[in-house]
Amino acid sequence: MRKLLNTLYVTNPDIYLTKDGENIVAKFEQKEVMRIPAINLEGIVCFNRMGASPYLMEMCAKHHIGMCFLTPEGYFLARVVGEVNGNVLLRRTQYRVADDKEKSLALSRIFIAGKILNSRKILDRFRRDHSNLIKDEGNFAKVVSLIDTDRKNALQAVSFDELRGLEGDAANAYFSLFGKMITTGDEAFSFHGRNRRPPKDRVNCMLSFTYTLLAHEVQSALDTVGLDPYVGFMHTDRPGRASLALDMMEELRGFLADRLVLSLINRRQVSANDFVSNSEDSILMNDSCKKTIISAWQKRKKETLKHPYLNETVPVGLLPYIQAMLMARCLRGDLDNYPVFIIQ
């Protein structure tokens, strides 16, 4: 089993990263503010404008430390990786499956059905723990039933268009109730549906940010097991888009991202003052808010759970790697089907 290491998140836009020996050094206004041995890291995510030295990138590539560059707002710019892991036979199998519409659709059904089921489980848990806060139980139950119907239909979808339609219907239904799971009563965190690129409210801003963190984790995991993150089964090929990472993060969105956002808001660990509006009618997080989310994200990764398929207790942070490993085993024919992660 892979060892869970740390990921370095650089949120200050004016930090510059360089190397000194086998250490990663962060500098602010040419003064060293932090030093970390490379051996302690498995990834670096940069939201900084200053970037990093070519020598640091070379070291990260050699040590298989995934390095991802994003804008301060969280939009993907570039990714630095080293030599491809795994063997060519696995990737050739992946490409053949991706070119086979029936096999790709079969895997895509599993991804989406798993995503929908996990969404329903989040709603079920809220209804069980906070039934007194649900003002319209009839409507809540109706929406949950609709989501479950979409899940069942997704498993029988005969085309990608039908599957995407069911995914969209289930997502709209789920997010129609998402705001009801925010229990603070703070109007600053009112939620009326998903929006993005750019997000127009604080909740959507947090969701987009955590989805970005999750995408990096899944892409790094796929690189580690030798799969090509850019060749997916449901998300179509597009230059620069990690389609397989987007496919495989679907099942993990609810458990790793949505629940974290709800927890941060409901525990009042973020406030309205952590966000600013800009001229484009969108909301941005300040550095303090990013650090709060990243700190909670890192803490969550160190928690443990019993994996439903492996039946072993594992750190939460290893879930992307475990699912990537199971996908590789599925493609190699070691498993009859891909065991999607389901919230227990």
Side-chain angles (χ1 to χ4, degrees):
M1 181 63 69
R2 182 189 186 193
K3 182 181 179 181
L4 180 62
L5 297 173
N6 294 314
T7 300
L8 172 64
Y9 296 91
V10 182
T11 59
N12 186 324
D14 298 315
I15 289 289
Y16 180 70
L17 296 179
T18 185
K19 72 178 284 284
D20 181 15
E22 294 296 302
N23 299 294
I24 296 162
V25 177
K27 293 185 176 181
F28 177 72
E29 295 181 347
Q30 300 184 346
K31 295 181 181 179
E32 181 178 324
V33 294
M34 185 176 61
R35 174 181 293 257
I36 302 175
I39 196 173
N40 293 338
L41 293 179
E42 64 180 351
I44 302 175
V45 181
C46 299
F47 295 88
N48 56 332
R49 302 187 192 94
M50 302 296 290
S53 74
Y55 297 106
L56 174 61
M57 295 183 205
E58 178 188 25
M59 182 180 73
C60 288
K62 288 181 177 178
H63 287 278
H64 301 290
I65 299 172
M67 200 169 190
C68 186
F69 293 94
L70 307 163
T71 68
E73 295 75 32
Y75 295 107
F76 178 80
L77 292 175
R79 182 174 172 80
V80 177
V81 295
E83 294 181 358
V84 174
N85 294 289
N87 62 66
V88 67
L89 297 180
L90 174 60
R91 290 205 171 198
R92 290 187 67 175
T93 300
Q94 177 188 353
Y95 300 150
R96 285 194 290 267
V97 173
D99 287 337
D100 187 315
K101 289 186 177 180
E102 286 303 316
K103 291 181 179 179
S104 291
L105 181 59
L107 285 170
S108 299
R109 291 191 197 105
I110 296 173
F111 296 145
I112 299 308
K115 173 187 179 180
I116 296 174
L117 179 55
N118 284 335
S119 298
R120 199 206 74 188
K121 283 183 171 287
I122 290 173
L123 294 171
D124 286 343
R125 178 177 177 176
F126 178 79
R127 183 162 56 174
R128 183 188 70 234
D129 295 344
H130 302 284
S131 59
N132 59 309
L133 299 178
I134 300 176
K135 297 179 181 180
D136 189 348
E137 168 61 29
N139 180 65
F140 198 99
K142 181 180 178 180
V143 174
V144 170
S145 177
L146 172 63
I147 290 173
D148 201 42
T149 299
D150 285 333
R151 178 190 64 83
K152 294 175 182 176
N153 290 336
L155 290 171
Q156 306 298 324
V158 298
S159 70
F160 284 104
D161 285 343
E162 180 185 2
L163 186 59
R164 292 187 182 99
L166 292 166
E167 178 193 16
D169 288 342
N172 288 335
Y174 167 66
F175 282 118
S176 74
L177 296 179
F178 193 84
K180 300 183 184 305
M181 294 188 285
I182 297 174
T183 59
T184 62
D186 187 346
E187 283 298 316
F189 290 97
S190 59
F191 181 83
H192 304 290
R194 186 79 175 103
N195 58 69
R196 53 194 181 276
R197 298 179 184 173
K200 301 187 184 333
D201 59 70
R202 296 173 179 85
V203 180
N204 274 294
C205 188
M206 294 176 69
L207 287 171
S208 292
F209 186 74
T210 52
Y211 290 160
T212 297
L213 299 180
L214 177 58
H216 165 76
E217 300 276 353
V218 175
Q219 188 170 346
S220 294
L222 292 168
D223 278 325
T224 299
V225 303
L227 290 168
D228 188 337
Y230 291 90
V231 179
F233 305 119
M234 181 170 176
H235 287 83
T236 55
D237 293 344
R238 183 183 299 172
R241 181 165 77 173
S243 296
L244 184 57
L246 295 177
D247 284 348
M248 295 193 61
M249 68 180 281
E250 297 290 6
E251 67 201 75
L252 300 174
R253 285 179 187 263
F255 183 70
L256 291 178
D258 296 357
R259 280 174 48 169
L260 181 69
V261 169
L262 289 170
S263 177
L264 287 169
I265 297 173
N266 290 337
R267 293 177 181 176
R268 300 182 186 276
Q269 292 176 263
V270 293
S271 70
N273 294 331
D274 290 323
F275 301 82
V276 294
S277 300
N278 70 11
S279 58
E280 299 176 358
D281 189 30
S282 64
I283 296 291
L284 301 176
M285 291 182 287
N286 61 24
D287 286 345
S288 175
C289 186
K290 291 177 185 177
K291 290 176 182 177
T292 297
I293 295 175
I294 288 170
S295 176
W297 178 268
Q298 294 285 64
K299 183 178 179 180
R300 177 74 171 119
K301 286 169 60 177
K302 294 177 182 177
E303 296 175 6
T304 60
L305 83 165
K306 194 167 187 177
H307 193 278
Y309 179 78
L310 298 180
N311 200 30
E312 296 178 9
T313 299
V314 299
V316 169
L318 285 183
L319 278 178
Y321 169 75
I322 291 171
Q323 295 309 122
M325 178 185 67
L326 292 173
M327 173 56 70
R329 293 178 61 187
C330 173
L331 292 174
R332 283 196 296 259
D334 298 335
L335 300 176
D336 292 335
N337 220 332
Y338 172 66
V340 67
F341 174 78
I342 301 299
I343 299 173
Q344 301 301 296

